[in-house]
Each structure stands twice: as C-alpha cells, then as structure tokens.
Amino acid sequence: MGRPPCCNDKVHNRRCNWTEDDSNTSTFVSTKHGIGNWATMSKKSGYGRCGRTQKQRWSNRLKADVKQESFTPQEEELIIKLHATIGSRWSIIAQQLAGRTDNDVKNLWNTKLKKKLSAMGIDPVTHKPFSQILTDYGNIGGFPKARTRFVSLNRELKGAFMSRPEQPQHSLQTFQNFNNLCVKLPKTESSEECFFSNNQDSSNFNQVPVDLFSELQAIKFVTEVSNYNSPKATFSHHPNPITDCSTTCSPLSSSSSSSASHLLAENQVNWRDYLLDEAFLPSNFKDQEDALTIEEKLVCSGAQDGSNKAPSMKDFETSLSTKGTSSSSSFVDAMLECENEMFLNFPGLSEDPFY
DNA sequence: AATAATGGCAACCGCGAAAGC
DNA sequence: TGCTTTCGCGGTTGCCATTAT
C-alpha cells in the first residue's frame, strides 16, 4: 500500500513560482515550527503547496548549506566512481558530497556524465567499454535473467545485514563493518564524513572515509557470494554484461580480453580504473587476484599480505592517487584525451563492430 | 530576426517502507 | 494486528535558456 498522492490537486501545482513561497517557507521554518513539520506547515500556512513539495524545496534549495555553484571535476569523478560501485543510489552518493543534494547529483548524471561516458565508449550503466559488452553479448546463454539475479542479490543483501555467527570471521567482519557503519548512513550535516573538505582540494579528495569504503567492500563481497553460490559463475570470468548491469555491483575481476580493455591495459590508460570491474579495488589486490581460488580471495579480503592484515586505507589512497585524480582538468576530459590517443594508435577500434 | 531543437535544472509524483494510532 | 499517515528515494516531467537553422 502506497501513500496516496498529495499533489494531484492541480490548483496546488504551481511549478516554478516559488519566489514568494520561499520566504514564507524560510520564515515558517526559522520560527517556532522548525523542520520536520511539513504537513503542519502546509495546513497552517495556506501557501497552497503540499508539505512534501515544501520540504523538497527546503532541502534542495533553501537550506543554508546547499551549494549553488556548479560541480567541480573532482566531484564529477567521485560521482562516476560511486555510481560504478553502488549504482543510482543518489542519496548515498550525495552524502559524500558536501552541500550537494541527491537531486543535484541525479540531474548531473542524467544530463552530463551519462552522455560523456557514452561519448567515450563506456556504457554508463555497466561502466564497461561498449566493445566488451558487444563481445560479451555473444557469450550470453544459460545465465540467469537479469531481473532474477537482481532480486536474488537484494535478498542476499538483506540476509547479509542479519547477524550470522556461523560465518567465517573474515566475511563476518566485513558485514559487521558495513552493518555498524554504513547500512543506515546518517544524514550528516558536517563535512567530517565527506570526501571533500570545504576547500575541496585534490589531496583531500583522496581521503576516502572508512565507512564508505566498508560499504563498498560489503557490496562487493555480497556480489562475490552471489557468484559463488551460482554454479555457473566463477570469479575469474564473468562475461554477462546484462547481469552485471542489473546488480550494479561487480565481480572481483574479469579476464575477458576484449580488444579495447586489452589495449587499454597495454597502454596503461588510467580511465580503466573508472570501469565497473575494478573500481575501488586496491591495485595490489587486482594484480594477484586472478590466480587465487575463491577461498583464497575470501581470505585475501581480510589478509592481503599473509599477515592477517587487510589492505589499509593508506594503500587504497595511494592507489587512487596514482590514477590522475590530481589533474587540474576534468578527469572526463583526461579520459577523452586517452581515448583519442588510443584511436590514433589503433585506427581499427573506431570501425563499426557489426561490419 | 524568427522559429525549432536541444540541454539543463528544478519540481512533481509514484512506490515502498517506516512510524503512528 | 491492521489501517492510515508520513517520509525517503528515485524516475519523470515541465519550464526556461541557449544554440542551431
């Protein structure tokens, strides 16, 4: 049962005419009512807006800490990284960007970032090169349907949030980190839990908070479990772009050697790090994982170097800092440059793959 | 200069979960 | 326990500004 619509009354539907109501709403909030009484506000104020709409207006535009200026290249980069990992969960993404609302992030993605990624030959949904998707498309067969897999993953995520003492310590630890710190991300007003400080310089950009990192680890882990439970799925090869796309999470690796990804590896193009497969994975982890068994991978997730010590945040930050994030220009522009260079070196890549 | 097409932003609205009674 | 109300989230829509023809 859903909530009945509150804004069907077209008399109240006064799009883009907020000038007068803004001051009324601000006055209403700043006086005795405060935030959290939007229905009351709507009834008592007689402004002609439903409470929901007024609340949205307040949180998106009127709140003091909402930034009005345009997104920085660093912010764009972070949004793409987070989208590659957790998908279109705009509220979570927005929480990592001080002064940005989920609506702002969503609009930026839909109007700008999505198109830029497409123009670069990267599928904005799967964060894989189109060439790899086309290659993988030929391999589809015998895999669960996307929707089935998605429902299954959701179930596993829910199950993961329960306490499961029978689980091995390493996996339980990951889940507990996630459960304790990230499952219900607090609505933070401070900048302490954000990627950016107020001045948003590039050095701070790389300071990923532990709670978000744990969340990303947990999401990745659930995907691993999902793959492990599936008799047809392996860690070393996961060629179905449709299922990958539906989960918005990635397997640990993909050895699928599409021409584009292979060439990218050969040319050490940094923007491979923004593709879904390996986003947010420490670099030393990537290098070793292909040769590992599932059990080894699980252990590795908690003890990378044999000393029962998980990859540190320092390692992760170092990894991130080597990927061009400190560039003063937009990372999207940098990716475009890399792509242009690649096409110059390998003209065959620009040919239509269907012919 | 006028009109059409496009892009970007902000608001609207439906759904599902949570909270309250 | 079940119903109603409220809230959070994310997809969609509408409006305005800019660009192209």
Side-chain angles (χ1 to χ4, degrees):
Chain A
M1 173 181 59
R3 183 195 177 202
C6 68
C7 301
N8 277 349
D9 184 355
K10 295 301 177 186
V11 173
H12 291 174
N13 194 347
R14 300 185 291 127
R15 204 183 253 266
C16 297
N17 188 22
W18 277 93
T19 312
E20 183 185 349
D21 291 353
D22 279 351
S23 58
N24 288 335
T25 303
S26 297
T27 304
F28 200 90
V29 170
S30 62
T31 56
K32 58 178 180 275
H33 298 92
I35 59 174
N37 296 308
W38 302 106
T40 309
M41 177 194 296
S42 177
K43 286 172 188 168
K44 290 186 179 176
S45 66
Y47 298 157
R49 309 274 185 186
C50 73
R52 255 177 100 199
T53 310
Q54 283 177 316
K55 185 255 178 183
Q56 280 184 328
R57 175 70 180 176
W58 171 260
S59 54
N60 286 341
R61 295 293 131 206
L62 301 181
K63 226 164 52 172
D65 59 352
V66 173
K67 281 187 190 171
Q68 303 294 334
E69 58 264 38
S70 56
F71 282 81
T72 66
Q74 286 81 11
E75 286 176 306
E76 292 179 6
E77 181 177 350
L78 177 60
I79 291 169
I80 293 176
K81 279 175 173 285
L82 290 173
H83 186 275
T85 308
I86 63 176
S88 58
R89 298 175 65 182
W90 307 119
S91 59
I92 294 177
I93 294 173
Q95 282 170 18
Q96 312 308 318
L97 298 164
R100 303 297 186 186
T101 68
D102 54 352
N103 209 34
D104 287 338
V105 174
K106 180 176 57 180
N107 281 331
L108 179 74
W109 178 261
N110 286 332
T111 60
K112 193 174 174 184
L113 299 183
K114 213 161 70 171
K115 292 171 188 172
K116 280 196 175 182
L117 284 177
S118 295
M120 289 186 299
I122 298 174
D123 179 21
V125 178
T126 63
H127 291 261
K128 293 182 175 207
F130 286 131
S131 57
Q132 182 180 343
I133 292 176
L134 290 169
T135 301
D136 293 344
Y137 209 69
N139 296 331
I140 292 178
F143 283 85
K145 288 183 179 176
R147 186 173 179 84
T148 305
R149 185 172 158 76
F150 187 56
V151 169
S152 170
L153 177 65
N154 274 339
R155 195 181 306 121
E156 285 157 2
L157 268 171
K158 282 185 179 177
F161 299 153
M162 310 289 212
S163 178
R164 291 159 63 178
E166 72 281 7
Q167 291 293 321
Q169 181 59 35
H170 54 266
S171 58
L172 181 62
Q173 189 173 2
T174 303
F175 282 135
Q176 283 174 337
N177 287 342
F178 191 17
N179 216 4
N180 292 337
L181 299 170
C182 313
V183 171
K184 198 83 174 182
L185 285 174
K187 287 282 186 185
T188 174
E189 301 290 312
S190 74
S191 61
E192 292 173 0
E193 296 174 29
C194 298
F195 282 106
F196 298 94
S197 67
N198 287 337
N199 61 357
Q200 295 189 6
D201 61 31
S202 59
S203 60
N204 284 332
F205 170 68
N206 287 335
Q207 293 172 5
V208 181
V210 173
D211 57 347
L212 178 66
F213 185 65
S214 299
E215 177 183 15
L216 299 177
Q217 277 188 316
I219 291 173
K220 187 174 282 297
F221 178 80
V222 169
T223 308
E224 292 172 26
V225 172
S226 173
N227 290 340
Y228 182 44
N229 289 339
S230 167
K232 289 178 183 174
T234 69
F235 280 105
S236 60
H237 185 64
H238 192 86
N240 191 335
I242 304 301
T243 53
D244 288 347
C245 161
S246 67
T247 62
T248 72
C249 296
S250 68
L252 262 175
S253 76
S254 169
S255 63
S256 154
S257 56
S258 71
S259 57
S261 57
H262 184 60
L263 290 170
L264 287 173
E266 283 186 346
N267 288 283
Q268 299 179 329
V269 176
N270 287 335
W271 59 269
R272 70 192 290 278
D273 297 306
Y274 301 97
L275 302 179
L276 178 59
D277 272 356
E278 296 169 326
F280 290 96
L281 211 57
S283 57
N284 57 345
F285 198 98
K286 294 176 195 171
D287 295 336
Q288 299 170 17
E289 67 188 349
D290 280 350
L292 300 179
T293 65
I294 291 169
E295 289 75 17
E296 286 167 336
K297 287 174 191 294
L298 291 173
V299 171
C300 276
S301 68
Q304 175 65 28
D305 57 4
S307 61
N308 248 356
K309 181 165 164 281
S312 67
M313 285 304 298
K314 188 73 181 174
D315 293 336
F316 182 52
E317 289 169 20
T318 305
S319 170
L320 273 180
S321 68
T322 61
K323 295 171 185 173
T325 56
S326 60
S327 168
S328 58
S329 63
S330 164
F331 109 102
V332 174
D333 293 335
M335 292 167 83
L336 279 169
E337 286 176 21
C338 289
E339 187 194 45
N340 289 337
E341 189 178 340
M342 185 176 69
F343 281 129
L344 282 176
N345 291 332
F346 304 97
L349 282 176
S350 58
E351 293 171 2
D352 190 324
F354 287 111
Y355 296 97

